[in-house]
Amino acid sequence: MDTLYDVRVFDSRHIRTFHEVVRAGSYSAAARELGYTQPAITQQMKALERTVGSPLFIRVGRGMRLTEAGETLARHADTILSSISAAQAQMNAITRLRAGRVRVCAFPSANATLIPEAMARLAAAHPGVRVDLLEGEPPDSLDRVVRGACDITLAFTYPGLREETPPELVEIPLMEDQMTVLLPTGHPLARRRAVKLGELSGERWIAGCLRCRANFLHECAEQGFAPDIAFTTDDNLVVQSMVASGLGVAMMPGLVLSFLCHQRVTGRALDPASRRRVSAYVLREHLEIPATARVLEELQTVAANRVGC
């Protein structure tokens, strides 16, 4: 047996007019209050009755009274109009950046550097916009945007590796992040301004996330050696502590130098220079959302001041 679903969609203009007719007591009085002609009021009420499928008013002498359907609609009209007004107010706040929420996922060194500066700028200009911060490494962080688990993700790519980006995403390049090596302060090469990767072929190494580790192994292979990886960890502070304790050296992104905590660790650039590209990724349709677009603008501004880091 087929089931017929009867969905009634009300026109908010008709509901407003109906509400005024009930309040004023007649079509003519409602027309004066709303600045309409009486025929216009009559036409709107007929259209609303067609939507409802029942008369809303009946004539009683020179006046009118509500039918049962009219009384039911009248009880809900205030709530309907209040909800519409509240929705309009909230939408205006969002489009004018007085409100809004953006979910941003970033890898640890970006969360410790780019994100705080960008969010401080955002908070100063638009204090009503809220940002939920998440942490994740690519490629998982890219998948989060595709799944709708976040609105923006910050991720990095290495020029020597083949790394595919989901086709649904728009890439917004932010900066080139120069790779460095972290050495114990007393290390003989710590006195140099830059270090060749091959000069550290005999060292024990501390490796990072899967993507960073793959690039590290690739660059070591380019220099003709296979590194002795003694420890692996995604935690940048743990890497610093291990290097400070003499457990090994590490190849790290330049952003990490911005929050280098240990006095017994020294960061040095690689010679020749090695860089990774840091970008923001977003679904194309999200570029039209004012709060998301403004977060991207702030990230671009902050990243531009760190080019060559």
mmCIF file of all heavy atoms in Angstrom, residues 212-234:
data_model
loop_
_atom_site.group_PDB
_atom_site.id
_atom_site.type_symbol
_atom_site.label_atom_id
_atom_site.label_comp_id
_atom_site.label_asym_id
_atom_site.label_seq_id
_atom_site.Cartn_x
_atom_site.Cartn_y
_atom_site.Cartn_z
ATOM 1 N N CYS A 212 56.860 12.563 8.063
ATOM 2 C CA CYS A 212 58.187 13.149 8.301
ATOM 3 C C CYS A 212 59.269 12.075 8.209
ATOM 4 O O CYS A 212 60.356 12.302 7.656
ATOM 5 C CB CYS A 212 58.231 13.824 9.662
ATOM 6 S SG CYS A 212 57.144 15.254 9.822
ATOM 7 N N ARG A 213 58.971 10.905 8.749
ATOM 8 C CA ARG A 213 59.933 9.805 8.718
ATOM 9 C C ARG A 213 60.205 9.358 7.287
ATOM 10 O O ARG A 213 61.342 9.089 6.907
ATOM 11 C CB ARG A 213 59.395 8.643 9.545
ATOM 12 C CG ARG A 213 60.444 7.591 9.920
ATOM 13 C CD ARG A 213 59.792 6.516 10.770
ATOM 14 N NE ARG A 213 58.920 7.104 11.773
ATOM 15 C CZ ARG A 213 57.876 6.483 12.313
ATOM 16 N NH1 ARG A 213 57.583 5.242 11.954
ATOM 17 N NH2 ARG A 213 57.132 7.081 13.216
ATOM 18 N N ALA A 214 59.151 9.299 6.470
ATOM 19 C CA ALA A 214 59.330 8.899 5.071
ATOM 20 C C ALA A 214 60.214 9.891 4.338
ATOM 21 O O ALA A 214 61.094 9.507 3.557
ATOM 22 C CB ALA A 214 57.967 8.795 4.391
ATOM 23 N N ASN A 215 60.005 11.188 4.596
ATOM 24 C CA ASN A 215 60.853 12.192 3.955
ATOM 25 C C ASN A 215 62.286 12.104 4.461
ATOM 26 O O ASN A 215 63.244 12.227 3.681
ATOM 27 C CB ASN A 215 60.307 13.588 4.223
ATOM 28 C CG ASN A 215 61.205 14.665 3.665
ATOM 29 O OD1 ASN A 215 61.326 14.830 2.462
ATOM 30 N ND2 ASN A 215 61.876 15.407 4.540
ATOM 31 N N PHE A 216 62.436 11.881 5.767
ATOM 32 C CA PHE A 216 63.777 11.756 6.350
ATOM 33 C C PHE A 216 64.543 10.604 5.716
ATOM 34 O O PHE A 216 65.710 10.751 5.305
ATOM 35 C CB PHE A 216 63.646 11.568 7.866
ATOM 36 C CG PHE A 216 64.923 11.213 8.558
ATOM 37 C CD1 PHE A 216 66.043 12.021 8.461
ATOM 38 C CD2 PHE A 216 65.014 10.059 9.333
ATOM 39 C CE1 PHE A 216 67.230 11.692 9.109
ATOM 40 C CE2 PHE A 216 66.181 9.715 9.975
ATOM 41 C CZ PHE A 216 67.299 10.536 9.868
ATOM 42 N N LEU A 217 63.898 9.457 5.602
ATOM 43 C CA LEU A 217 64.557 8.299 4.981
ATOM 44 C C LEU A 217 64.894 8.585 3.516
ATOM 45 O O LEU A 217 65.954 8.181 3.022
ATOM 46 C CB LEU A 217 63.656 7.074 5.087
ATOM 47 C CG LEU A 217 63.451 6.521 6.501
ATOM 48 C CD1 LEU A 217 62.379 5.433 6.503
ATOM 49 C CD2 LEU A 217 64.764 5.980 7.068
ATOM 50 N N HIS A 218 64.002 9.286 2.826
ATOM 51 C CA HIS A 218 64.255 9.641 1.430
ATOM 52 C C HIS A 218 65.475 10.535 1.309
ATOM 53 O O HIS A 218 66.338 10.322 0.433
ATOM 54 C CB HIS A 218 63.018 10.350 0.861
ATOM 55 C CG HIS A 218 63.236 10.975 -0.481
ATOM 56 N ND1 HIS A 218 63.278 10.240 -1.645
ATOM 57 C CD2 HIS A 218 63.448 12.283 -0.841
ATOM 58 C CE1 HIS A 218 63.487 11.049 -2.672
ATOM 59 N NE2 HIS A 218 63.598 12.290 -2.206
ATOM 60 N N GLU A 219 65.574 11.552 2.173
ATOM 61 C CA GLU A 219 66.701 12.480 2.082
ATOM 62 C C GLU A 219 68.015 11.808 2.471
ATOM 63 O O GLU A 219 69.063 12.096 1.885
ATOM 64 C CB GLU A 219 66.434 13.711 2.946
ATOM 65 C CG GLU A 219 65.233 14.518 2.465
ATOM 66 C CD GLU A 219 65.401 16.015 2.695
ATOM 67 O OE1 GLU A 219 66.547 16.457 2.915
ATOM 68 O OE2 GLU A 219 64.391 16.721 2.648
ATOM 69 N N CYS A 220 67.953 10.920 3.452
ATOM 70 C CA CYS A 220 69.168 10.178 3.818
ATOM 71 C C CYS A 220 69.621 9.295 2.651
ATOM 72 O O CYS A 220 70.831 9.195 2.356
ATOM 73 C CB CYS A 220 68.924 9.326 5.058
ATOM 74 S SG CYS A 220 68.732 10.275 6.580
ATOM 75 N N ALA A 221 68.677 8.653 1.987
ATOM 76 C CA ALA A 221 69.016 7.814 0.829
ATOM 77 C C ALA A 221 69.651 8.656 -0.270
ATOM 78 O O ALA A 221 70.594 8.210 -0.950
ATOM 79 C CB ALA A 221 67.764 7.110 0.316
ATOM 80 N N GLU A 222 69.157 9.869 -0.438
ATOM 81 C CA GLU A 222 69.740 10.770 -1.437
ATOM 82 C C GLU A 222 71.188 11.099 -1.102
ATOM 83 O O GLU A 222 71.998 11.364 -1.983
ATOM 84 C CB GLU A 222 68.912 12.065 -1.501
ATOM 85 C CG GLU A 222 67.528 11.911 -2.111
ATOM 86 C CD GLU A 222 67.587 11.762 -3.617
ATOM 87 O OE1 GLU A 222 68.163 12.646 -4.287
ATOM 88 O OE2 GLU A 222 67.076 10.744 -4.122
ATOM 89 N N GLN A 223 71.509 11.102 0.208
ATOM 90 C CA GLN A 223 72.870 11.378 0.646
ATOM 91 C C GLN A 223 73.719 10.107 0.776
ATOM 92 O O GLN A 223 74.877 10.164 1.197
ATOM 93 C CB GLN A 223 72.843 12.111 1.993
ATOM 94 C CG GLN A 223 72.175 13.479 1.932
ATOM 95 C CD GLN A 223 72.898 14.436 1.016
ATOM 96 O OE1 GLN A 223 74.133 14.517 1.019
ATOM 97 N NE2 GLN A 223 72.135 15.163 0.199
ATOM 98 N N GLY A 224 73.125 8.960 0.442
ATOM 99 C CA GLY A 224 73.886 7.722 0.370
ATOM 100 C C GLY A 224 74.039 6.954 1.670
ATOM 101 O O GLY A 224 74.959 6.146 1.801
ATOM 102 N N PHE A 225 73.135 7.140 2.624
ATOM 103 C CA PHE A 225 73.242 6.342 3.849
ATOM 104 C C PHE A 225 71.861 6.017 4.394
ATOM 105 O O PHE A 225 70.866 6.668 4.076
ATOM 106 C CB PHE A 225 74.081 7.072 4.909
ATOM 107 C CG PHE A 225 73.407 8.239 5.576
ATOM 108 C CD1 PHE A 225 72.767 8.093 6.807
ATOM 109 C CD2 PHE A 225 73.426 9.505 4.987
ATOM 110 C CE1 PHE A 225 72.147 9.164 7.430
ATOM 111 C CE2 PHE A 225 72.808 10.592 5.603
ATOM 112 C CZ PHE A 225 72.171 10.427 6.833
ATOM 113 N N ALA A 226 71.807 4.972 5.193
ATOM 114 C CA ALA A 226 70.585 4.568 5.882
ATOM 115 C C ALA A 226 70.751 4.928 7.353
ATOM 116 O O ALA A 226 71.683 4.446 8.014
ATOM 117 C CB ALA A 226 70.330 3.076 5.727
ATOM 118 N N PRO A 227 69.884 5.764 7.922
ATOM 119 C CA PRO A 227 70.074 6.243 9.297
ATOM 120 C C PRO A 227 69.770 5.156 10.326
ATOM 121 O O PRO A 227 68.944 4.271 10.107
ATOM 122 C CB PRO A 227 69.069 7.391 9.406
ATOM 123 C CG PRO A 227 67.973 7.007 8.462
ATOM 124 C CD PRO A 227 68.656 6.325 7.309
ATOM 125 N N ASP A 228 70.438 5.261 11.449
ATOM 126 C CA ASP A 228 70.177 4.389 12.602
ATOM 127 C C ASP A 228 69.107 5.077 13.452
ATOM 128 O O ASP A 228 69.400 5.976 14.234
ATOM 129 C CB ASP A 228 71.473 4.197 13.401
ATOM 130 C CG ASP A 228 71.239 3.400 14.684
ATOM 131 O OD1 ASP A 228 70.160 2.784 14.813
ATOM 132 O OD2 ASP A 228 72.143 3.421 15.552
ATOM 133 N N ILE A 229 67.839 4.672 13.275
ATOM 134 C CA ILE A 229 66.730 5.291 14.018
ATOM 135 C C ILE A 229 66.557 4.546 15.339
ATOM 136 O O ILE A 229 66.134 3.394 15.379
ATOM 137 C CB ILE A 229 65.420 5.248 13.200
ATOM 138 C CG1 ILE A 229 65.601 6.048 11.903
ATOM 139 C CG2 ILE A 229 64.262 5.808 14.028
ATOM 140 C CD1 ILE A 229 64.381 6.040 10.995
ATOM 141 N N ALA A 230 66.913 5.233 16.413
ATOM 142 C CA ALA A 230 66.861 4.606 17.731
ATOM 143 C C ALA A 230 65.493 4.783 18.395
ATOM 144 O O ALA A 230 65.048 3.908 19.147
ATOM 145 C CB ALA A 230 67.948 5.206 18.628
ATOM 146 N N PHE A 231 64.828 5.924 18.124
ATOM 147 C CA PHE A 231 63.530 6.206 18.742
ATOM 148 C C PHE A 231 62.606 6.869 17.721
ATOM 149 O O PHE A 231 63.072 7.553 16.804
ATOM 150 C CB PHE A 231 63.683 7.147 19.948
ATOM 151 C CG PHE A 231 64.602 6.639 21.019
ATOM 152 C CD1 PHE A 231 65.931 7.039 21.053
ATOM 153 C CD2 PHE A 231 64.139 5.760 21.985
ATOM 154 C CE1 PHE A 231 66.783 6.572 22.042
ATOM 155 C CE2 PHE A 231 64.987 5.288 22.974
ATOM 156 C CZ PHE A 231 66.316 5.691 22.995
ATOM 157 N N THR A 232 61.327 6.671 17.889
ATOM 158 C CA THR A 232 60.332 7.374 17.075
ATOM 159 C C THR A 232 59.262 7.943 18.003
ATOM 160 O O THR A 232 58.814 7.280 18.931
ATOM 161 C CB THR A 232 59.656 6.437 16.051
ATOM 162 O OG1 THR A 232 59.015 5.363 16.732
ATOM 163 C CG2 THR A 232 60.677 5.887 15.073
ATOM 164 N N THR A 233 58.879 9.199 17.750
ATOM 165 C CA THR A 233 57.823 9.843 18.526
ATOM 166 C C THR A 233 57.254 11.005 17.729
ATOM 167 O O THR A 233 57.975 11.667 16.979
ATOM 168 C CB THR A 233 58.336 10.352 19.882
ATOM 169 O OG1 THR A 233 57.271 11.071 20.531
ATOM 170 C CG2 THR A 233 59.530 11.274 19.732
ATOM 171 N N ASP A 234 55.952 11.247 17.882
ATOM 172 C CA ASP A 234 55.307 12.390 17.228
ATOM 173 C C ASP A 234 55.363 13.648 18.089
ATOM 174 O O ASP A 234 54.966 14.719 17.629
ATOM 175 C CB ASP A 234 53.825 12.072 16.948
ATOM 176 C CG ASP A 234 53.666 10.951 15.935
ATOM 177 O OD1 ASP A 234 54.650 10.625 15.257
ATOM 178 O OD2 ASP A 234 52.552 10.403 15.836
#
